[in-house]
Amino acid sequence: MIRLRLFCAAGMSTSLLERRIREAAKERGIEIEVTAYPVSEMDHRLDGVDVALLGPQVNYMLAQAQAKCGVRGIPVAIIPMRDYGMVNGPNVLKFALQLLGKEA
C-alpha cells in the first residue's frame, strides 16, 4: 500500500486529481491511499505517508515541505504544472512512483 498525500493552497483543487490518481492506480493493480489537504495542515498529515506532492500553486513552500518531510524520510516534490493542469492522474502516479524508486 502506497500512502500519497497531495497538498495545495486549500486542499480542494486537487480533489479531481486525487480521484484520477486512484483510477490510474486501480488500472495498474497498485494499492494506494491518496488524499488531498491544504498545505497548512502538512504538519498534522504526514504520519505513515510514503510520498508527498505539492500543487504548483504552493511551489514557494517547497523548502519548508522538504524540511518537514526530510526528517521523516518522506520524498516530496512539486507536481509538474502540465500534469496538474491537465489533471493527468496516470502521469502524477508515475511521478510519485519514481520519487519512491518504484518505477523508472
Side-chain angles (χ1 to χ4, degrees):
M1 166 76 75
I2 296 170
R3 289 172 184 83
L4 168 62
R5 295 294 176 268
L6 306 174
F7 295 98
C8 67
M12 294 182 291
S13 60
T14 52
S15 62
L16 183 55
L17 182 58
E18 180 183 335
R19 185 177 51 185
R20 297 257 173 98
I21 292 169
R22 266 195 221 99
E23 291 168 359
K26 184 177 180 180
E27 288 175 10
R28 294 182 57 184
I30 298 170
E31 279 190 68
I32 194 164
E33 175 192 302
V34 56
T35 49
Y37 297 103
V39 72
S40 61
E41 293 186 24
M42 182 177 274
D43 289 337
H44 310 290
R45 302 293 184 176
L46 292 175
D47 289 341
V49 172
D50 297 307
V51 61
L53 297 177
L54 301 180
Q57 73 275 34
V58 292
N59 67 356
Y60 64 93
M61 297 196 67
L62 181 59
Q64 292 174 31
Q66 288 171 327
K68 293 174 184 183
C69 292
V71 296
R72 297 172 184 235
I74 301 169
V76 61
I78 303 293
I79 300 168
M81 178 77 78
R82 180 178 177 95
D83 293 329
Y84 188 84
M86 301 288 290
V87 195
N88 191 326
N91 277 3
V92 176
L93 175 62
K94 182 178 179 181
F95 182 62
L97 292 172
Q98 288 171 338
L99 288 172
L100 288 169
K102 295 188 181 273
E103 187 174 294

Short mmCIF file of all heavy atoms in Angstrom, two decimals, residues 21-46:
data_model
loop_
_atom_site.label_atom_id
_atom_site.label_comp_id
_atom_site.label_asym_id
_atom_site.label_seq_id
_atom_site.Cartn_x
_atom_site.Cartn_y
_atom_site.Cartn_z
N ILE A 21 -5.84 9.82 -9.83
CA ILE A 21 -4.70 9.01 -9.40
C ILE A 21 -5.20 7.65 -8.91
O ILE A 21 -4.63 6.62 -9.24
CB ILE A 21 -3.89 9.73 -8.30
CG1 ILE A 21 -3.19 10.96 -8.88
CG2 ILE A 21 -2.88 8.77 -7.66
CD1 ILE A 21 -2.59 11.88 -7.83
N ARG A 22 -6.28 7.66 -8.14
CA ARG A 22 -6.87 6.40 -7.66
C ARG A 22 -7.27 5.50 -8.83
O ARG A 22 -7.03 4.30 -8.82
CB ARG A 22 -8.09 6.68 -6.80
CG ARG A 22 -7.79 6.74 -5.35
CD ARG A 22 -9.06 6.66 -4.51
NE ARG A 22 -8.94 7.60 -3.43
CZ ARG A 22 -9.48 8.81 -3.39
NH1 ARG A 22 -10.24 9.23 -4.36
NH2 ARG A 22 -9.28 9.60 -2.37
N GLU A 23 -7.91 6.09 -9.83
CA GLU A 23 -8.34 5.33 -11.01
C GLU A 23 -7.14 4.73 -11.74
O GLU A 23 -7.17 3.57 -12.15
CB GLU A 23 -9.13 6.23 -11.96
CG GLU A 23 -10.48 6.65 -11.43
CD GLU A 23 -11.14 7.77 -12.24
OE1 GLU A 23 -10.53 8.26 -13.22
OE2 GLU A 23 -12.26 8.17 -11.87
N ALA A 24 -6.09 5.54 -11.91
CA ALA A 24 -4.88 5.07 -12.60
C ALA A 24 -4.22 3.93 -11.82
O ALA A 24 -3.76 2.94 -12.41
CB ALA A 24 -3.90 6.23 -12.79
N ALA A 25 -4.19 4.05 -10.51
CA ALA A 25 -3.60 3.01 -9.67
C ALA A 25 -4.41 1.72 -9.77
O ALA A 25 -3.84 0.62 -9.88
CB ALA A 25 -3.50 3.47 -8.22
N LYS A 26 -5.71 1.85 -9.76
CA LYS A 26 -6.59 0.67 -9.85
C LYS A 26 -6.35 -0.06 -11.17
O LYS A 26 -6.25 -1.29 -11.20
CB LYS A 26 -8.05 1.08 -9.72
CG LYS A 26 -9.01 -0.07 -9.69
CD LYS A 26 -10.43 0.38 -9.48
CE LYS A 26 -11.37 -0.82 -9.46
NZ LYS A 26 -12.75 -0.39 -9.26
N GLU A 27 -6.25 0.70 -12.26
CA GLU A 27 -6.00 0.11 -13.58
C GLU A 27 -4.68 -0.65 -13.61
O GLU A 27 -4.55 -1.64 -14.33
CB GLU A 27 -5.99 1.19 -14.66
CG GLU A 27 -7.35 1.75 -14.97
CD GLU A 27 -7.30 2.90 -15.97
OE1 GLU A 27 -6.22 3.14 -16.57
OE2 GLU A 27 -8.33 3.56 -16.13
N ARG A 28 -3.71 -0.20 -12.83
CA ARG A 28 -2.39 -0.84 -12.80
C ARG A 28 -2.25 -1.86 -11.68
O ARG A 28 -1.19 -2.44 -11.51
CB ARG A 28 -1.32 0.24 -12.66
CG ARG A 28 -1.27 1.14 -13.89
CD ARG A 28 -0.22 2.18 -13.82
NE ARG A 28 1.09 1.58 -13.62
CZ ARG A 28 2.19 2.27 -13.44
NH1 ARG A 28 2.16 3.58 -13.44
NH2 ARG A 28 3.35 1.66 -13.25
N GLY A 29 -3.29 -2.05 -10.90
CA GLY A 29 -3.24 -3.02 -9.81
C GLY A 29 -2.38 -2.57 -8.65
O GLY A 29 -1.82 -3.39 -7.93
N ILE A 30 -2.29 -1.26 -8.45
CA ILE A 30 -1.49 -0.69 -7.37
C ILE A 30 -2.42 -0.27 -6.24
O ILE A 30 -3.37 0.48 -6.46
CB ILE A 30 -0.68 0.52 -7.86
CG1 ILE A 30 0.31 0.09 -8.95
CG2 ILE A 30 0.04 1.22 -6.71
CD1 ILE A 30 0.98 1.26 -9.66
N GLU A 31 -2.14 -0.75 -5.03
CA GLU A 31 -2.90 -0.31 -3.87
C GLU A 31 -2.38 1.05 -3.43
O GLU A 31 -1.19 1.22 -3.18
CB GLU A 31 -2.74 -1.30 -2.71
CG GLU A 31 -3.60 -2.52 -2.81
CD GLU A 31 -3.55 -3.30 -1.51
OE1 GLU A 31 -4.06 -2.80 -0.49
OE2 GLU A 31 -2.98 -4.40 -1.55
N ILE A 32 -3.30 2.00 -3.34
CA ILE A 32 -2.89 3.35 -2.98
C ILE A 32 -3.94 4.02 -2.10
O ILE A 32 -5.13 3.76 -2.24
CB ILE A 32 -2.62 4.21 -4.24
CG1 ILE A 32 -1.87 5.49 -3.89
CG2 ILE A 32 -3.92 4.51 -4.97
CD1 ILE A 32 -1.24 6.18 -5.08
N GLU A 33 -3.46 4.80 -1.19
CA GLU A 33 -4.31 5.69 -0.40
C GLU A 33 -3.84 7.09 -0.74
O GLU A 33 -2.69 7.45 -0.47
CB GLU A 33 -4.11 5.41 1.09
CG GLU A 33 -4.85 6.36 2.00
CD GLU A 33 -4.39 6.23 3.44
OE1 GLU A 33 -4.49 5.12 3.98
OE2 GLU A 33 -3.91 7.24 4.00
N VAL A 34 -4.70 7.86 -1.36
CA VAL A 34 -4.34 9.22 -1.76
C VAL A 34 -5.38 10.19 -1.24
O VAL A 34 -6.58 9.97 -1.41
CB VAL A 34 -4.14 9.33 -3.29
CG1 VAL A 34 -5.37 8.89 -4.04
CG2 VAL A 34 -3.76 10.73 -3.70
N THR A 35 -4.91 11.21 -0.55
CA THR A 35 -5.80 12.23 -0.03
C THR A 35 -5.16 13.61 -0.21
O THR A 35 -3.94 13.73 -0.23
CB THR A 35 -6.14 12.01 1.46
OG1 THR A 35 -4.94 11.78 2.17
CG2 THR A 35 -7.07 10.84 1.65
N ALA A 36 -6.01 14.61 -0.33
CA ALA A 36 -5.56 15.98 -0.53
C ALA A 36 -5.90 16.85 0.68
O ALA A 36 -6.97 16.69 1.27
CB ALA A 36 -6.21 16.56 -1.78
N TYR A 37 -4.98 17.70 1.02
CA TYR A 37 -5.15 18.60 2.16
C TYR A 37 -4.56 19.97 1.83
O TYR A 37 -3.68 20.09 0.97
CB TYR A 37 -4.41 18.08 3.40
CG TYR A 37 -4.92 16.77 3.90
CD1 TYR A 37 -4.24 15.58 3.64
CD2 TYR A 37 -6.09 16.70 4.66
CE1 TYR A 37 -4.71 14.37 4.11
CE2 TYR A 37 -6.57 15.49 5.13
CZ TYR A 37 -5.87 14.33 4.85
OH TYR A 37 -6.35 13.12 5.32
N PRO A 38 -4.98 20.99 2.56
CA PRO A 38 -4.30 22.29 2.44
C PRO A 38 -2.87 22.15 2.97
O PRO A 38 -2.62 21.41 3.92
CB PRO A 38 -5.11 23.21 3.34
CG PRO A 38 -6.36 22.49 3.69
CD PRO A 38 -6.10 21.04 3.49
N VAL A 39 -1.96 22.85 2.36
CA VAL A 39 -0.56 22.77 2.77
C VAL A 39 -0.39 23.22 4.22
O VAL A 39 0.52 22.78 4.92
CB VAL A 39 0.34 23.55 1.79
CG1 VAL A 39 0.17 25.04 1.94
CG2 VAL A 39 1.79 23.14 1.93
N SER A 40 -1.32 24.04 4.71
CA SER A 40 -1.25 24.50 6.10
C SER A 40 -1.42 23.34 7.10
O SER A 40 -1.08 23.47 8.27
CB SER A 40 -2.32 25.57 6.36
OG SER A 40 -3.61 25.04 6.14
N GLU A 41 -1.96 22.21 6.63
CA GLU A 41 -2.16 21.04 7.50
C GLU A 41 -1.03 20.01 7.40
O GLU A 41 -1.12 18.95 8.00
CB GLU A 41 -3.49 20.37 7.17
CG GLU A 41 -4.70 21.21 7.51
CD GLU A 41 -6.00 20.45 7.29
OE1 GLU A 41 -6.00 19.21 7.32
OE2 GLU A 41 -7.02 21.13 7.10
N MET A 42 0.00 20.33 6.65
CA MET A 42 1.05 19.35 6.40
C MET A 42 1.63 18.76 7.68
O MET A 42 1.84 17.56 7.77
CB MET A 42 2.17 19.94 5.54
CG MET A 42 3.26 18.94 5.23
SD MET A 42 4.54 19.57 4.15
CE MET A 42 3.78 19.23 2.58
N ASP A 43 1.88 19.59 8.68
CA ASP A 43 2.48 19.10 9.93
C ASP A 43 1.69 17.95 10.55
O ASP A 43 2.25 17.07 11.17
CB ASP A 43 2.58 20.23 10.96
CG ASP A 43 3.63 21.25 10.61
OD1 ASP A 43 4.56 20.93 9.86
OD2 ASP A 43 3.51 22.40 11.08
N HIS A 44 0.38 17.98 10.37
CA HIS A 44 -0.50 17.00 11.01
C HIS A 44 -0.93 15.87 10.10
O HIS A 44 -1.69 15.00 10.52
CB HIS A 44 -1.75 17.71 11.55
CG HIS A 44 -1.44 18.92 12.37
ND1 HIS A 44 -0.84 18.85 13.61
CD2 HIS A 44 -1.59 20.24 12.10
CE1 HIS A 44 -0.67 20.07 14.07
NE2 HIS A 44 -1.11 20.93 13.18
N ARG A 45 -0.45 15.87 8.86
CA ARG A 45 -0.93 14.89 7.88
C ARG A 45 0.18 14.02 7.30
O ARG A 45 -0.02 13.40 6.26
CB ARG A 45 -1.65 15.61 6.73
CG ARG A 45 -2.81 16.48 7.15
CD ARG A 45 -3.94 15.66 7.67
NE ARG A 45 -5.09 16.51 7.97
CZ ARG A 45 -6.24 16.05 8.38
NH1 ARG A 45 -6.42 14.76 8.55
NH2 ARG A 45 -7.23 16.86 8.63
N LEU A 46 1.32 13.94 7.96
CA LEU A 46 2.44 13.19 7.41
C LEU A 46 2.67 11.82 8.06
O LEU A 46 3.48 11.05 7.55
CB LEU A 46 3.73 14.02 7.51
CG LEU A 46 3.77 15.26 6.61
CD1 LEU A 46 5.03 16.07 6.90
CD2 LEU A 46 3.66 14.89 5.15
#
